[in-house]
Each structure stands twice: as structure tokens, then as C-alpha cells.
Amino acid sequence: MSQPQDPPRRPVAAMLLFPGLTHLDLVGPHAVLATDMDVHLAWKDTDPVVSDSGMAILPTTTLRDCPREVDLLMVPGGFGTKDVIADPELLDWVADVGARARWVTSVCTGSLVLGAAGLLRGRRATTHWTTRHLLAAFGAENVVARTVVDGNRITGGGVTAGIDFGLTVLAGMLGEERARTVQLALEYDPQPPFDAGTPERSTPAAVAQVRAMVAAANAEIERTTAARAR
């Protein structure tokens, strides 16, 4: 008689939380991955973390208690990125977990955190279109794309690219068929009312407005990026 087989081990993911993150950077990939993975939402404590739009997200673990050996590390972006880049404790944690993880990933300006932690040097990567030029400060090659895969580094563009990113990650970990099934379960079939989701396809006036909206926050991110790169 054959012995009963143990169920396959579920992959483990660690997603970094921080005040001022963009919640959709986190929630999009989380929606795609959480069905098939054990996801830890890690922060310094377990108090609610408030996103840059005011939504509160509850951590599931602290940085200290989060598993160090994970299959996937994911860092979201947001206006709070500047504070992460300036925080040695957070960068040390990202560098340590990233050095062990099977996949090292980010969405939006989370790639700048990976870069500041030394995890993108010599790699192709992407980020939000308004901060792409900052990747070079950390030795990364800026690529204009929704999702960029370079070895075990996977980076997503701005905000909504996190869903595309999540499906790319899932396909790499569990196969394309599983990713297709999850896409269907989420009914992810984007049909935006306007073809204006990139600066190349938008109007000059809209591009200028967006740059003005993020100018102050991006200036802070640029300053912390330059300081860290030095």
C-alpha cells in the first residue's frame, strides 16, 4: 500500500509595508498571489499602516518575526518611498531577505528601495514613469515596460502594473496555466475608457499636470536617492 503524500509546500511571500505606500501597489499583487501563497505583510510593528491615500492596512507580522527564508520578497512604492530609502533598518531588512529570496520583486517606486538596498545593480528594471531616471543612481538599467524580468528580479511599473506584475510572478512560480486561471477568476480584462495610461499616449497637458502633482514628493525621493547613492 502506498504511503499518503504530504501536500505540496505553499510558497511564502514577504511584502513590505510602510507609511505612505500606494495601497494598490500592494493590493493588486496580493489579490493575484494570496490564493496560492502564504503572504506576510511586514512592518516594524503591528499597528495599522496608513497609505498615501489614507487607507489603513494591518500588518500580519513584524520585520523581526517575518520569516527570513521566503520564496518571494515584494516592495511596493508610494510617496513614503523616500523614508524607506533613508532608513538603514528597513534597507538592511530588504537586503537580507532579498539575498535569500527566490524572487526579488517590486511595484512602482518600490524598485528604488530594491536599488537602495543594493539588489538591482547591473539589472534591468522599471518603475513609475516619473521616476525612471532615478534607477541609474543604483546601477540599474531603466526599461520602459509594464513588467521587467531580469533573472530572479521582477519589477513592475506604476500602480496598476502591479496586477500584470503579479500574474507574471505567478506564471514564473507556478506556471502559465495557473496564472491564466487566476486572471480569469479575477476577471482581469482591462478595457479603460481612455487610451491615456502612459505619457507617450496621453496629452502634453495631462503629463504636465501629473508631473506637477508628484513634483514635491518626487523631489524628496530624488534627494534621498542621491544621498543613498553617495
Side-chain angles (χ1 to χ4, degrees):
M1 174 182 276
S2 61
Q3 295 296 316
Q5 299 292 312
D6 291 332
R9 184 184 72 83
R10 283 170 61 87
V12 176
M15 296 185 175
L16 178 66
L17 300 185
F18 54 88
L21 66 86
T22 296
H23 68 266
L24 191 54
D25 288 1
L26 177 86
V27 173
H30 190 281
V32 172
L33 300 173
T35 300
D36 293 291
M37 304 181 70
D38 294 332
V39 180
H40 299 273
L41 303 179
W43 176 236
K44 294 182 179 184
D45 53 46
T46 56
D47 293 335
V49 174
V50 180
S51 75
D52 57 13
S53 63
M55 176 180 286
I57 302 171
L58 193 64
T60 62
T61 187
T62 64
L63 301 178
R64 182 184 61 190
D65 294 334
C66 185
R68 289 299 215 225
E69 306 286 344
V70 299
D71 295 280
L72 181 138
L73 168 67
M74 199 284 283
V75 180
F79 293 142
T81 299
K82 65 183 188 304
D83 299 315
V84 180
I85 294 172
D87 189 326
E89 178 188 359
L90 293 177
L91 293 184
D92 286 348
W93 184 86
V94 170
D96 181 55
V97 176
R100 308 163 190 265
R102 178 182 171 195
W103 298 97
V104 177
T105 73
S106 65
V107 175
C108 197
T109 53
S111 60
L112 300 178
V113 175
L114 295 184
L119 296 171
L120 288 183
R121 185 162 297 280
R123 302 280 188 160
R124 300 166 68 251
T126 192
T127 187
H128 191 276
W129 63 270
T130 61
T131 57
R132 288 177 189 148
H133 62 288
L134 299 179
L135 285 167
F138 301 121
E141 177 187 347
N142 165 37
V143 178
V144 179
R146 291 278 283 179
T147 303
V148 174
V149 181
D150 187 333
N152 73 334
R153 281 15 178 207
I154 306 179
T155 52
V159 193
T160 59
I163 299 176
D164 298 31
F165 154 89
L167 291 167
T168 301
V169 170
L170 193 63
M173 296 187 73
L174 300 179
E176 185 175 311
E177 187 57 35
R178 181 57 186 168
R180 287 177 175 273
T181 300
V182 170
Q183 180 175 347
L184 177 59
L186 296 176
E187 200 172 348
Y188 179 53
D189 183 28
Q191 300 175 38
F194 311 107
D195 186 19
T198 70
E200 293 78 16
R201 295 200 303 272
S202 191
T203 64
V207 171
Q209 288 180 44
V210 172
R211 289 194 182 278
M213 287 166 53
V214 302
N218 281 358
E220 288 294 324
I221 293 174
E222 189 156 359
R223 278 194 285 272
T224 53
T225 295
R228 178 65 186 179
R230 285 197 299 268

